[in-house]
Amino acid sequence: MTRLIFLGPPGAGKGTQAEVLANHWSIPHISTGEILRQAMKERSPLGVKAQSYVDRGELVPDQLVQDLVEERLNQPDTPSGWILDGFPRNVSQASFLDELLQKRVPDGVSVINLEVPDEVLISRLLGRGRKDDTEEVIRRRLEVYREQTAPLIDFYRERQQLKSVDGNQSLEKVTAEVQKLVDP
Ligand code: ADP
């Protein structure tokens, strides 16, 4: 049973690794960024509410993402395990997840922190060319990461759930290292 959270700055490769490993373990890959992008494309009520935040590189309000994560983790494909990518992104989301999981997950969750130097991140993000990947928005997303998401590294380290992986290596090498840490 694998329940995994990917931590790391934008551009660290969370989405790529989560996709590969979710396939490998046959468990769902839950990306809050993907769910929000889909909602924005469809202009659903969630998408309309999220749009201006995503466009500016700000975090979408906690309540919106927490509701969507709770709903997603209630789907019938989740009891076999899951990989969360892009959530939690601040301490209050992490506390919310804790409470949510205490209700249904007796054993723990692993947290993988992907470490990548800033200059590598920026060039990866600029190369990706997504709508929210302009230089100004990227800079803001990295700032938001440092201010709000990076504190989660200590949050999970103190609880001995954190494992760090050098994300500045080939895709395959990163996958192999995560795999070895999660099911040795
Ligand atoms: P990246 O990994 O490049 O930051 P994501 O696809 O994870 O990209 O997220 C894109 C955007 O979606 C974020 O910049 C943010 O606006 C919004 N978002 C995604 N997940 C969350 C979350 N857990 N809390 C708040 N906003 C989020």
Side-chain angles (χ1 to χ4, degrees):
M1 160 76 61
T2 306
R3 296 186 197 88
L4 202 63
I5 294 171
F6 267 110
L7 269 191
K14 304 184 295 289
T16 309
Q17 293 298 331
E19 188 66 41
V20 172
L21 288 162
N23 272 328
H24 173 76
W25 286 310
S26 302
I27 53 176
H29 166 204
I30 302 173
S31 159
T32 46
E34 273 308 318
I35 295 172
L36 291 171
R37 276 189 288 283
Q38 187 60 33
M40 292 185 293
K41 205 167 110 192
E42 290 166 359
R43 301 195 189 284
S44 70
L46 169 67
V48 170
K49 287 184 204 131
Q51 185 89 56
S52 66
Y53 298 95
V54 175
D55 287 348
R56 283 179 286 132
E58 302 295 335
L59 295 185
V60 169
D62 290 341
Q63 194 64 56
L64 286 182
V65 264
Q66 287 172 186
D67 286 350
L68 87 77
V69 166
E70 180 164 13
E71 201 197 306
R72 184 62 188 86
L73 288 177
N74 276 327
Q75 297 301 309
D77 60 348
T78 56
S80 58
W82 37 256
I83 299 179
L84 265 179
D85 152 25
F87 186 92
R89 247 183 166 87
N90 60 29
V91 171
S92 87
Q93 292 179 11
S95 306
F96 170 84
L97 184 64
D98 257 5
E99 286 213 7
L100 188 69
L101 295 183
Q102 260 157 35
K103 291 184 207 150
R104 68 194 86 182
V105 182
D107 48 278
V109 172
S110 312
V111 181
I112 298 286
N113 181 38
L114 284 182
E115 298 179 313
V116 176
D118 268 12
E119 60 276 16
V120 177
L121 295 175
I122 292 171
S123 75
R124 283 187 186 177
L125 291 166
L126 283 173
R128 195 161 75 174
R130 211 168 68 192
K131 190 164 160 273
D132 59 339
D133 283 341
T134 63
E135 196 157 354
E136 194 195 343
V137 178
I138 288 172
R139 206 166 292 128
R140 182 58 193 150
R141 294 221 307 277
L142 286 171
E143 238 170 54
V144 168
Y145 168 78
R146 261 180 234 112
E147 289 164 5
Q148 302 192 48
T149 312
L152 292 181
I153 296 172
D154 284 334
F155 179 95
Y156 286 115
R157 186 184 285 130
E158 276 161 23
R159 297 156 36 139
Q160 292 165 6
Q161 280 176 286
L162 191 84
K163 292 159 183 166
S164 284
V165 170
D166 177 5
N168 193 21
Q169 318 180 74
S170 75
L171 205 158
E172 294 78 13
K173 196 127 191 266
V174 175
T175 307
E177 287 195 11
V178 176
Q179 248 171 311
K180 211 159 60 186
L181 285 173
V182 176
D183 49 21

